[in-house]
Structure formats: structure tokens, C-alpha cells
Amino acid sequence: MIDDSPKDETSEILRAHAEKAEQYDRPATESLGALRKDGVFAQRTPRAYGGEWAGAETIARRLAGLGRACPSTAWIAGACVTAKNLVSRSFPGSRSDEFFADPDALFCGSGVPAGQGVRVAEGVRITGRWPNVSGCEDAAWAVLALAVEGTLSFTVVPVADLTVDRTWHMAGMRGTGSHSLVADDLLVPARRVAAASAFAAQDLLLYSITVLGPVVGAAKGALDATAAMFASDRKPFMSTYSRMGESPGARHWLAEATHLVNRAENTMLTIARAAESTGLSDADNARLHMELADAGRDCRSAVERMLDLHGASGFATGNVLQRYWRDVAVGSRHPHLNPYLAVERFGTALVSPENTD
């Protein structure tokens, strides 16, 4: 059986350098080195190139485990999964040889077609600006969506050939280094450009799971901090209780928070298993994406209860809980977990002709 949890040493390194990642708006070098050593960046490198090509459930568990220590670094790992999956789908067979020469290389990317390409005799000249590219300062390759003479396409470019504009200044997930990548009339060999094809339902679910996994991990990390508070001599202020656990209300709030985190994790794993199946209908796909969005909201609700338990001290900059709170608040609002669009799409699927009598 595959061990789908991060090594204890890796988690400790991530935890130790989480504040450093926030300070510099990019993942810590030490944390990236630990992920590479642990094989995390090879999760969606094809086996033919020395990678693992891990399944969706294994990826979900690993990202949640990493997110428990440092959500931002786990997010980088998830973005690498998505980018490598896109490259393997868009450039099958020998066309991938140069991209996967190093199975542990960090990939980044953007599915937003924020660039233009023009075919010339030497290849394709691209110009564009792609925002929010997680891990771009530390990645070897970037897979970028663009329009090439009117055709939606993907190109894979060495990050060294692009300019990084440090635009990522956020309240949460600060350590993801999700800055902008810029190309200005960059010549790309034709072999590194491919027309895009429709995403399979399983791939779309995987991409959403790579977002949800770090969020679930962050909620679990917040729960660790809350459990530590209950184990300490902390007591509810302005009460006669000598410990937090003596309060029935505090125990109730802890139970609710734990239940919400567990439900979010169980939802994620159930959907990860569904992402490995075939034959999903449009209604199935829409329903599963709605459940993913609900799991993100469960994480937010859980952390709010934990903050209630901590009181104002939970927002102290030295309290790790406030970082998890910010990371959950930002990460759970990624477009892959958009709740109102998920409801909209599920409702549309329910009344489509193939789903009505």
C-alpha cells in the first residue's frame, strides 16, 4: 500500500518555515527542498519518466497532510499536480521528454488564456501576462493557456524565459508566491505549443481537489492548535471554570468544529475516489463540484468556531490559529470552490433534457 501521508520530518520542516514563507510572499527554500526529497513533486510525473502518477485519493490525503503543517506550501504541491497533469494530457508520448527529464521538477501554470500567440517560421511568438501563478519564482516550467491565432492552446515554457512580476500581496495563502508571469514577444518552439482539448470530468475534479486538500489541511492544523489549548491550563475568561474542557458550551463548540472538519475531509476523499471512476454524467459532475464547495465552507465554519473558543487572542500575530484562519478564508474562495456557481451549475444540470422525464 502507498504511504499517502507526508513524512514527519517533512511536516516539521514545513511547520518550522511557514512564517518565513509568509514574510517573503513565496515558499521557503527549505520547505521546497523537503517536498522534493519526499517525492511530492513527482506525484503526477508519468511513471515512464520516473514519477508516481498518484491517484486522486492519494493526492488528496497528501495535500491535506502537508496543509496541516503549512497550507501555502501544500498549495504549491497541488498546483504542481495540476500543471503536470495538463502537460501530460496536452503533450502525450515523446512530446513530453524534455519537460519530464527531471521527475521531481516543480511545475507551475495558469489555465487563464491571458496571452496571445502568433505562428512564425521559427515557432510561436507569445505575449501575455498571467496572474496568480502559484510557485512561479521557484518552478522550472510553466504551462500557460493562450490563444494562438484564435485557437485555445497551451504552451510549456521555462520559467527562466519569463519575467516574474511580484504582485501577490494577500491576507492569506501569502506563502504561495502566486505572482504574475509575463512574456513579451517570446519565441517558443512549435513543439512546446499544443491546441487545448476539452477537460475530462475526472481531471476537473482532480484540479478542484488540489485546491481543497490544502484547505482541509489548514482546518486540521487549526484543530490541532485548538486541541492544544484545551490540553493547557487556559480557562474561559469571565467564568468560574478552571479549564476550557469544564465548560459544556466550549465542549459543544469543539465537537461542532471537529465534526465540520471531519465532514469536509470525508467529502474530499469520497469525491477523490469518484474522480478515479468513469461514466460520470453532467449532473454527477455538477453535484460533486457543489459538494466540494460545501466542504470548503465547512472548513470556514469550523475555524470560526475555533476562533470563538480562543476569543480575541486567536487573532494575535503570534498565534498560529490566525494564519490558518486567513489561509482557509482565501484558499476556500478559489474559483474551483465557488459555491454560488456550483449551485447554479447543479440546478442547470438537474433541468437539462437528459435528466428530466
Side-chain angles (χ1 to χ4, degrees):
M1 179 180 292
I2 295 174
D3 180 7
D4 53 17
S5 60
K7 294 185 174 70
D8 289 342
E9 179 184 0
T10 300
S11 293
E12 287 306 312
I13 291 172
L14 266 59
R15 191 173 287 109
H17 293 92
E19 290 188 15
K20 180 180 178 181
E22 282 217 322
Q23 181 181 357
Y24 293 103
D25 292 328
R26 68 185 294 182
T29 301
E30 297 86 347
S31 297
L32 293 176
L35 294 190
R36 183 182 176 97
K37 181 180 178 182
D38 207 2
V40 172
F41 295 145
Q43 289 184 105
R44 271 285 154 135
T45 298
R47 292 189 181 94
Y49 298 99
E52 181 184 338
W53 198 259
E57 183 176 359
T58 295
I59 289 169
R61 290 182 184 275
R62 285 179 177 164
L63 293 180
L66 294 169
R68 196 168 186 168
C70 179
S72 286
T73 307
W75 190 278
I76 298 294
C80 184
V81 165
T82 293
K84 287 191 171 183
N85 197 78
L86 280 170
V87 172
S88 66
R89 300 294 197 227
S90 302
F91 299 86
S94 60
R95 297 177 69 191
S96 294
D97 287 354
E98 64 179 322
F99 308 136
F100 294 121
D102 177 2
D104 295 300
L106 174 60
F107 281 32
C108 65
S110 173
V112 178
Q116 299 288 328
V118 177
R119 295 191 181 278
V120 295
E122 302 88 352
V124 180
R125 290 197 171 275
I126 68 170
T127 298
R129 181 186 183 87
W130 292 266
N132 308 327
V133 185
S134 300
C136 61
E137 286 186 290
D138 298 284
W141 294 94
V143 53
L144 304 169
L146 74 166
V148 178
E149 298 179 347
T151 300
L152 179 62
S153 305
F154 283 107
T155 183
V156 186
V157 184
V159 175
D161 291 348
L162 300 162
T163 300
V164 176
D165 188 1
R166 302 193 90 243
T167 53
W168 186 251
H169 308 294
M170 298 290 286
M173 290 292 182
R174 288 167 54 181
T176 62
S178 301
H179 303 296
S180 299
L181 286 178
V182 183
D184 184 11
D185 197 34
L186 175 66
L187 179 63
V188 176
R191 69 180 183 278
R192 294 183 186 165
V193 180
S197 56
F199 294 143
Q202 291 78 9
D203 285 342
L204 289 173
L205 287 172
L206 174 66
Y207 301 155
S208 296
I209 287 166
T210 65
V211 170
L212 180 59
V215 173
V216 169
K220 295 180 74 171
L223 201 56
D224 290 339
T226 303
M229 182 188 70
F230 270 82
S232 73
D233 59 2
R234 167 78 180 269
K235 69 175 185 176
F237 293 113
M238 301 180 68
S239 77
T240 59
Y241 298 118
S242 62
R243 301 177 70 86
M244 290 293 296
E246 290 180 2
S247 165
R251 295 196 301 268
H252 187 136
W253 242 229
L254 177 63
E256 285 199 359
T258 303
H259 169 69
L260 288 165
V261 174
N262 289 343
R263 184 166 71 183
E265 183 176 34
N266 289 335
T267 297
M268 176 185 69
L269 295 177
T270 297
I271 295 172
R273 288 188 283 272
E276 296 296 323
S277 65
T278 58
L280 292 175
S281 67
D282 289 343
D284 289 333
N285 195 36
R287 172 180 56 80
L288 293 172
H289 279 282
M290 184 171 170
E291 291 175 3
L292 285 166
D294 281 346
R297 289 195 289 180
D298 276 349
C299 291
R300 291 205 298 269
S301 296
V303 175
E304 288 295 329
R305 283 164 173 77
M306 296 181 222
L307 284 165
D308 286 346
L309 288 166
H310 279 76
S313 67
F315 296 93
T317 55
N319 192 325
V320 70
L321 183 63
Q322 55 80 29
R323 174 169 58 81
Y324 284 122
W325 166 61
R326 290 184 287 106
D327 286 346
V328 168
V330 172
S332 65
R333 288 178 169 88
H334 187 277
H336 279 309
L337 302 178
N338 186 309
Y340 64 84
L341 289 182
V343 172
E344 178 181 319
R345 290 162 182 158
F346 186 41
T348 300
L350 290 175
V351 298
S352 63
E354 61 266 27
N355 292 311
T356 56
D357 295 329

